[in-house]
Amino acid sequence: LFLQFVFHSYTTGFTLVNGNGTLKAEGDVIQNKQILCSLGAIPYAACVGALPLVFMNRYTLKSSLTQFVVRNILPAPLLGLMSAFTVAVVRSPEFEYGIEVMDRNGKVVGVSQKAGEKAVKETALSRGALFGATFLVPNVLTYFLQRAKLVKRPHALTAVRMLLITSVLAGMLPVSLSLFPQLGEIKRADLEPEILSATEETELFYNRGI
């Protein structure tokens, strides 16, 4: 639970700092709302992430299949899901209040809630894919290495697992960042009426955030 709390505290803080910059100019009320959302998202995500292990230990589930699923399979998709969840919660004011959309020349045309929703969804999906894959692949590979008795010593197994996590993270980081472009595009027809009347551009752009 403590490690989950530390992990989600870091990623939530990163999300808070690296979101779209539109809301930072809107005053302290919105920023305070984001901070409150962050404080609620962190313990919730930590508790959900730790729940499978707590449940298994509480009810002493000892079968090998249960141990494999709970220890090696379930934590990774839960971590990816909770990572996406924290992004959506922390940046929820972006699709509530909207973010700036620009034309091809970088001129701000207006503030769009639909662009904000699209930016948050894309960032949440990329974050979930990053951490879900980063922890799922090493867990499964480590389990089969252990079953095949290719690595026998616990310390060596831990070192191999950390090496696998580092390698997969290094590979997944550029993949997750490239899933959606940093400068996102949205069709003019998908925007609000007030923006439609402000420009004739067929495609507009927004900063997705990280």
Side-chain angles (χ1 to χ4, degrees):
L1 181 61
F2 173 74
L3 293 176
Q4 289 273 347
F5 186 85
V6 171
F7 173 82
H8 288 295
S9 296
Y10 173 78
T11 57
T12 300
F14 181 87
T15 300
L16 193 61
V17 172
N18 293 283
N20 185 281
T22 302
L23 299 181
K24 293 179 181 179
E26 295 294 331
D28 293 336
V29 175
I30 297 177
Q31 292 185 50
N32 290 339
K33 184 175 182 178
Q34 284 187 297
I35 293 172
L36 288 174
C37 289
S38 303
L39 294 176
I42 292 169
Y44 179 82
C47 289
V48 171
L51 188 62
L53 288 174
V54 172
F55 183 84
M56 185 181 71
N57 292 331
R58 172 68 177 80
Y59 293 98
T60 61
L61 304 176
K62 299 296 184 181
S63 73
S64 58
L65 178 61
T66 302
Q67 295 261 343
F68 173 70
V69 172
V70 173
R71 292 186 182 276
N72 299 287
I73 300 296
L74 197 55
L78 269 180
L79 189 66
L81 181 62
M82 288 299 101
S83 297
F85 167 79
T86 55
V87 171
V89 171
V90 173
R91 293 181 55 180
S92 59
E94 291 183 21
F95 54 77
E96 182 179 351
Y97 297 98
I99 61 174
E100 291 179 347
V101 290
M102 304 161 285
D103 60 18
R104 294 183 182 277
N105 299 318
K107 179 183 176 182
V108 176
V109 177
V111 175
S112 170
Q113 293 176 318
K114 293 182 179 180
E117 182 179 353
K118 190 169 185 286
V120 173
K121 283 182 179 179
E122 290 173 348
T123 306
L125 286 173
S126 65
R127 190 73 61 81
L130 170 64
F131 291 118
T134 295
F135 287 93
L136 178 62
V137 175
N139 281 353
V140 174
L141 291 178
T142 303
Y143 173 79
F144 285 111
L145 286 173
Q146 189 177 16
R147 287 292 300 271
K149 298 182 179 179
L150 297 176
V151 182
K152 297 181 180 179
R153 296 182 179 180
H155 293 298
L157 191 66
T158 301
V160 169
R161 185 172 182 272
M162 293 304 299
L163 179 63
L164 288 171
I165 290 175
T166 303
S167 301
V168 176
L169 179 61
M172 279 300 300
L173 188 58
V175 172
S176 69
L177 292 175
S178 63
L179 284 176
F180 305 99
Q182 184 63 40
L183 189 64
E185 297 183 14
I186 186 168
K187 295 185 181 300
R188 178 175 176 270
D190 295 333
L191 295 169
E192 290 84 349
E194 57 271 20
I195 297 179
L196 296 180
S197 61
T199 181
E200 294 298 325
E201 295 275 352
T202 57
E203 288 185 341
L204 295 170
F205 304 88
Y206 57 88
N207 177 22
R208 178 171 66 83
I210 302 176

